[in-house]
Amino acid sequence: MAEIYYITTNGTLRRDENTIMFESGEIKKKIPIENTSELFIVAEVSTNTKFLSLLSQNGIIAHFFNYYGYYIGSFYPREGNPSGHVLIKQVEHYLDKEKRLYLAKTFVLGSIINSEKLYQIDASEHLEKLKQASNVQEVMQVEGSFRKLCYKALEELTGWEFETRTKRPPQNPLNALISFGNSLVYAKVLGEIYHTPLNSTVSYLHEPSEKRHSLCLDVAEVFKPILTEGLILELIRSGTITENDFLEETEYCYLNLDGRRKFLRAFDNLLKSTVYYPKLKRKVSIRTLIRLELYKLVKHLTENEPYIPLNYHSLKK
Amino acid sequence: MDLRELKFRGTQVAYYVVCQRKLWLFTKGISFEKESEYVQLGKLLDEISFSREKGEEFAYEPVSIDFFSTGEGLVVHEIKHSSALEQAHILQVKYYIYYLKTKGIKVSHGIIHYPKQKKLLKVEFDEKDEELINEVVRKMDEVVRKEIPPKVINKPYCKKCAYWEYCYG
């Protein structure tokens, strides 16, 4: 599979013949287009339409993040693999209350089963409440109260202060890490959706009006415990990320350049790391796991094959 | 002859022979061809082989024939990577010949090129084949009209298919 490239230095991105050219002061670096699947631009870059049309021709998505590492949006080239049939099925599963509730519950189920091992939390009470939930709002409440437990556990396991979830802006390092990590997961899910026939705007747990690509928020629930929280735990426990990796003021806290680079490197390594996937009888990368999750969703919608979320910790490394 | 029946692309005819599930998925726009290394190799082979012989593709038609030459009539040429799925390729070429015939074009025969194996395969077309294609197109219609796709077929060649992770994952 082609690579994800991360740009963390301010500069210029432009088209040079049929390849990507990144320039910053003295640095001139070519990025081979054939080997690029996605760009994460976590720096301030200037670019032009020619560059974007090069990306478009090659079906490459570019995710933009601002100076503080805050997700701005993605350049999503015109239609990846659209399918009218799948779109109709997606909408059918949204309009039918029971069908929507099933999917909303399974995304939260995925989030819970992938979190409970990570934090060693007993989730049985929440799983029962999830089963009982009779509408999407109740499902959201179960998710919210379970997530609080997780964040408390994260605070205990790291010894870092968390208090409460603060987003715009995050007010302490743990919150800053969660914000940055979750926005990467969200963008990454979008990057995979592009290669499937799914329409990223029709979602089940989150309201489709909530964000432009709200299906990413749904699917990201399953992967956040693995790609955000699991990663944060690992980075803090190993001492890779320390208090020095943040820009901290009284009103806000963000990862500084060094911190962002460390996080991105670990994020990329994790995406590339493989686990044994019994159904395919071979090892697959975490990135492929995201794709497989989307395939399962397509099959749920078009083949009546019930979607069962990934249980990450049941897979052998 | 009802021309509306010949709406399929050549690859769909080949998919019908290889895997009806793939035919269904592909027809519904559930396609993974862009992701597959094998498909990319095939595309590359198509681009670099017989570049002198290739003319312009005809627009607005469902079929896209690799290239033509002339003999007793038109000769239809198809380039393929490997002869492993030969039966599917033969039917695909027969479909092309039939398609052109319905447009009133005199076609002599077809040739399948396997450049990597340095192999040629001549495809003749007779009256019986007309019935065969009619029957195939009718059955293809049945497949794509199904509410849900046919089941996975568990063939050894599934592992090289662009849909492998989708079907088995």
Side-chain angles (χ1 to χ4, degrees), chain A residues 14 21 23 58 71-72 104 116 157 165 170 221 231 236 238 253 281 312 314:
Chain A
R14 61 177 178 86
M21 175 69 94
E23 284 172 317
N58 290 279
Y71 177 65
I72 302 168
E116 62 177 337
L157 290 168
R165 180 86 180 101
E221 292 297 335
L231 199 60
I236 297 179
S238 64
C253 176
K281 296 196 186 85
Y312 179 65
S314 74

Side-chain angles (χ1 to χ4, degrees), chain A residues 162-176:
Chain A
F162 175 77
E163 289 171 12
T164 151
R165 180 86 180 101
T166 46
K167 287 181 188 170
R168 291 183 197 197
Q171 286 177 356
N172 56 36
L174 267 190
N175 269 293

Side-chain angles (χ1 to χ4, degrees), chain B residues 2-166:
Chain B
D2 184 359
L3 277 182
R4 281 176 311 166
E5 280 183 11
L6 295 183
K7 63 191 175 192
F8 291 111
R9 293 163 58 174
T11 42
Q12 285 169 295
V13 177
Y15 287 174
Y16 168 77
V17 181
V18 174
C19 173
Q20 300 195 0
R21 177 177 167 82
K22 189 173 182 174
L23 169 65
W24 189 97
L25 293 167
F26 180 83
T27 308
K28 298 288 181 188
I30 303 173
S31 107
F32 302 103
E33 274 80 355
K34 275 186 223 160
E35 307 302 309
S36 162
E37 257 177 55
Y38 294 103
V39 176
Q40 280 170 17
L41 273 175
K43 231 185 111 196
L44 195 66
L45 183 78
D46 179 69
E47 277 166 21
I48 59 172
S49 310
F50 303 97
S51 48
R52 266 174 294 135
E53 283 83 354
K54 278 181 202 156
E56 276 177 40
E57 286 190 20
F58 25 78
Y60 312 117
E61 301 288 331
V63 301
S64 154
I65 292 163
D66 283 345
F67 69 95
F68 301 98
S69 65
T70 43
E72 295 281 307
L74 212 57
V75 182
V76 171
H77 296 261
E78 176 69 17
I79 310 160
K80 292 286 184 195
H81 204 254
S82 134
S83 58
L85 303 169
E86 204 174 84
Q87 290 310 314
H89 304 158
I90 292 173
L91 198 71
Q92 183 178 349
V93 170
K94 284 187 174 173
Y95 177 77
Y96 288 153
I97 297 174
Y98 187 51
Y99 183 88
L100 293 170
K101 280 192 153 188
T102 61
K103 299 268 166 182
I105 298 165
K106 192 175 172 245
V107 182
S108 140
H109 61 278
I111 295 175
I112 305 173
H113 300 258
Y114 296 105
K116 284 196 72 187
Q117 289 156 282
K118 298 196 177 10
K119 187 178 151 186
L120 292 181
L121 192 71
K122 189 174 178 186
V123 181
E124 305 278 7
F125 189 90
D126 60 31
E127 268 162 38
K128 266 196 194 146
D129 288 322
E130 246 170 67
E131 275 167 46
L132 173 72
I133 299 291
N134 272 326
E135 180 66 8
V136 164
V137 169
R138 201 180 56 73
K139 282 184 182 160
M140 285 172 76
D141 265 326
E142 265 172 37
V143 173
V144 300
R145 254 191 256 126
K146 284 187 175 150
E147 191 49 40
I148 55 172
K151 293 253 174 295
V152 291
I153 55 172
N154 260 313
K155 296 274 185 189
Y157 54 72
C158 285
K159 281 207 167 171
K160 288 194 173 186
C161 176
Y163 291 67
W164 188 65
E165 283 179 344
Y166 177 78

